[in-house]
Amino acid sequence: MGREHWKKIWIGSAGNMVEWYDWFVYASFATYFAGAFFPHGNPTAQMMNTAGIFAVGFFMRPVGGWLLGRVGDRRGRKAALTLTVTLMSASAVLIAVAPTYGVAGYGGALVLLLARLLQGLSVGGEYAASATYLTEASDPRRRGFASSFQYVSMTAGQIVGLGLQILLQRTMSDDALHSYGWRIPFVVGALGAAVIFYLRRSMLETDVYEADDSGEERGTLRALWRHKREALLVMALTMGGTVAYYTYTTYLTKYLSNSAGLPKRTATLVSFTALIVFACLQPLAGRLSDRIGRRPLLITFAVGSTFLTVPVMTLLKHAGSYWPALGLSLLALVVVTGYTSINACVKAELFPTGVRALGVALPYALANALFGGTAEYVALWFKNAGAESGFFWYVAACAAVSLVVYISMRETRDLDLTRVKNAEASTLTPAS
């Protein structure tokens, strides 16, 4: 890759990191502010309330996918990426200043809800704009490698959030963290978003987009309807991956703390270490997909997640200490890498330029609203019902559904992004 390509990937990834830092920091600090916005009582019930608001943010993602996907296809990838980081900055500020239950009753929870709705709107467009930008900006022979930096940056955002949490845990008392310390990461997120806004204003548009001549139908639902099979494929191949990803990232720390009985600090350190290794794996797997294709990695993920989820989650519950928990977490994340490293480029490769951002954004956001955003809430629901193992089987079942899709879809590695048509990207024709 030339210097110009690396510049595009760097700016796109850096913004994505801040977006997902703000998105995930809500989940990683929820154990500290869950009691601030709701009446005192059952800690699991408080966590379910905050998880419910977390899930609500996902239900704004289809709206964000539609609106910002349309902006990305009609006004350019740069315009969409700049708008998403602006919305994310506003949401971080709202959470940082939200009043507690003791000050404003449920008014604080309403502010928290509004912030999550803005985050959902923003991230609903960010994923697709980032996936499209990174895929289009790369060398056609290295699209898997380049687009893998989307999950490098997403994971880096979470690593920064967890790193800040570890720092605050070591420098502040538990009472201080529950009282006001949890607000600090949201202030940091707002400042980071302001920096990325400045960087994205000077970013370069992709050559693929500038060469597109789709006309007035770019980014419209009418144009997307002509690629409805590809849209359904995006939803189906997302289902298993998003549930597994959120299980072993955002929910993992809570699971290790609330179910496995590890101290919060130990649980946070396990997640932090595992995510560093996970981030490093993404470009390696992305590059491998450029050599052997996308389907082998997707199938490997789905088989592993289908058959290993139940035993891994069961063993994690009885891990007892740092090293066993870390080893099991890494095993799970290695399997998930088969999906995360390449799913962005696979989805982008299915659509023509004029509807690529919307085509990735809307169906992906719908799948995340239904499966990714509810994963943590479903897990806590099973736990509250006294049948926690039911969630393990749920994750495995979602992966099994995606496995059927991966086996039946055709290979996308060698498709020309400037020539993708509905027939060429057809969904259920296996590669020969």
Side-chain angles (χ1 to χ4, degrees):
M1 287 188 185
R3 184 176 179 181
E4 198 77 0
H5 282 116
W6 278 114
K7 181 179 179 181
K8 293 177 179 179
I9 291 172
W10 155 242
I11 295 178
S13 297
N16 201 40
M17 180 184 72
V18 175
E19 290 267 2
W20 288 90
Y21 163 87
D22 284 334
W23 181 258
F24 283 120
V25 84
Y26 177 99
S28 62
F29 277 85
T31 54
Y32 291 104
F33 66 74
F37 296 103
F38 301 99
H40 295 294
N42 185 345
T44 300
Q46 290 178 341
M47 288 298 299
M48 288 183 69
N49 285 330
T50 55
I53 291 179
F54 182 78
V56 166
F58 276 84
F59 285 94
M60 279 300 287
R61 289 177 68 162
V63 179
W66 169 55
L67 292 175
L68 296 170
R70 180 180 173 86
V71 170
D73 285 328
R74 296 186 70 83
R75 303 297 181 184
R77 317 313 189 201
K78 173 183 174 180
L81 287 168
T82 302
L83 182 55
T84 59
V85 79
T86 302
L87 294 172
M88 186 61 77
S89 179
S91 67
V93 171
L94 281 175
I95 297 177
V97 302
T100 63
Y101 180 82
V103 173
Y106 285 106
L110 289 176
V111 173
L112 189 65
L113 177 61
L114 175 61
R116 288 298 297 173
L117 292 176
L118 283 178
Q119 284 188 341
L121 190 70
S122 173
V123 177
E126 169 67 24
Y127 174 87
S130 178
T132 301
Y133 188 86
L134 289 172
T135 302
E136 291 181 348
S138 63
D139 183 321
R141 297 166 298 178
R142 296 189 176 183
R143 288 201 299 258
F145 174 76
S147 66
S148 71
F149 282 90
Q150 182 177 43
Y151 270 81
V152 171
S153 58
M154 286 172 60
T155 306
Q158 190 173 8
I159 290 171
V160 172
L162 286 171
L164 181 57
Q165 185 175 20
I166 291 171
L167 176 64
L168 293 177
Q169 286 173 338
R170 299 234 180 335
T171 57
M172 299 180 69
S173 67
D174 199 57
D175 288 341
L177 277 171
H178 281 85
S179 176
Y180 66 89
W182 59 266
R183 297 182 187 271
I184 295 174
F186 296 103
V187 174
V188 172
L191 294 175
V195 173
I196 298 305
F197 175 80
Y198 174 78
L199 291 175
R200 282 186 168 178
R201 288 184 64 187
S202 62
M203 73 190 300
L204 302 172
E205 189 57 82
T206 67
D207 295 335
V208 173
Y209 178 80
E210 291 184 333
D212 180 60
D213 59 354
S214 301
E216 286 301 312
E217 286 204 342
R218 284 195 304 188
T220 63
L221 292 175
R222 181 184 303 172
L224 178 61
W225 183 251
R226 289 198 289 270
H227 301 274
K228 54 184 177 293
R229 295 182 69 191
E230 285 70 32
L232 290 173
L233 176 59
V234 168
M235 292 187 67
L237 66 86
T238 298
M239 179 182 178
T242 192
V243 171
Y245 177 73
Y246 281 100
T247 296
Y248 293 115
T249 56
T250 58
Y251 180 62
L252 180 65
T253 304
K254 299 182 186 66
Y255 179 71
L256 292 175
S257 177
N258 296 337
S259 297
L262 295 181
K264 286 182 181 179
R265 294 185 178 187
T266 303
T268 302
L269 188 59
V270 168
S271 294
F272 180 77
T273 309
L275 287 172
I276 290 176
V277 177
F278 179 65
C280 294
L281 290 174
Q282 304 308 300
L284 299 177
R287 189 71 185 103
L288 179 63
S289 79
D290 289 327
R291 293 179 178 274
I292 67 173
R294 322 296 190 212
R295 291 176 68 248
L297 271 71
L298 291 172
I299 291 172
T300 299
F301 150 71
V303 170
S305 190
T306 299
F307 294 102
L308 292 179
T309 294
V310 175
V312 166
M313 292 295 286
T314 302
L315 289 171
L316 271 173
K317 189 171 183 178
H318 301 93
S321 60
Y322 172 80
W323 288 108
L326 177 61
L328 290 165
S329 300
L330 285 175
L331 173 61
L333 288 173
V334 167
V335 171
V336 174
T337 295
Y339 167 81
T340 55
S341 60
I342 59 170
N343 80 96
C345 69
V346 170
K347 294 163 188 173
E349 287 167 342
L350 292 172
F351 297 94
T353 304
V355 75
R356 184 167 292 130
L358 180 62
V360 175
L362 186 55
Y364 170 79
L366 286 169
N368 261 272
L370 294 172
F371 302 105
T374 58
E376 183 178 337
Y377 192 84
V378 170
L380 291 170
W381 183 87
F382 273 110
K383 177 178 174 59
N384 204 44
E388 191 167 33
S389 62
F391 176 68
F392 312 159
W393 289 100
Y394 168 76
V395 176
C398 289
V401 172
S402 288
L403 174 59
V404 176
V405 177
Y406 300 154
I407 291 174
S408 59
M409 69 180 285
R410 68 176 298 177
E411 182 59 61
T412 63
R413 177 188 59 178
D414 298 320
L415 292 175
D416 184 346
L417 294 184
T418 64
R419 298 177 180 274
V420 175
K421 303 296 182 185
N422 195 53
E424 292 176 311
S426 189
T427 59
L428 299 178
T429 306
S432 57

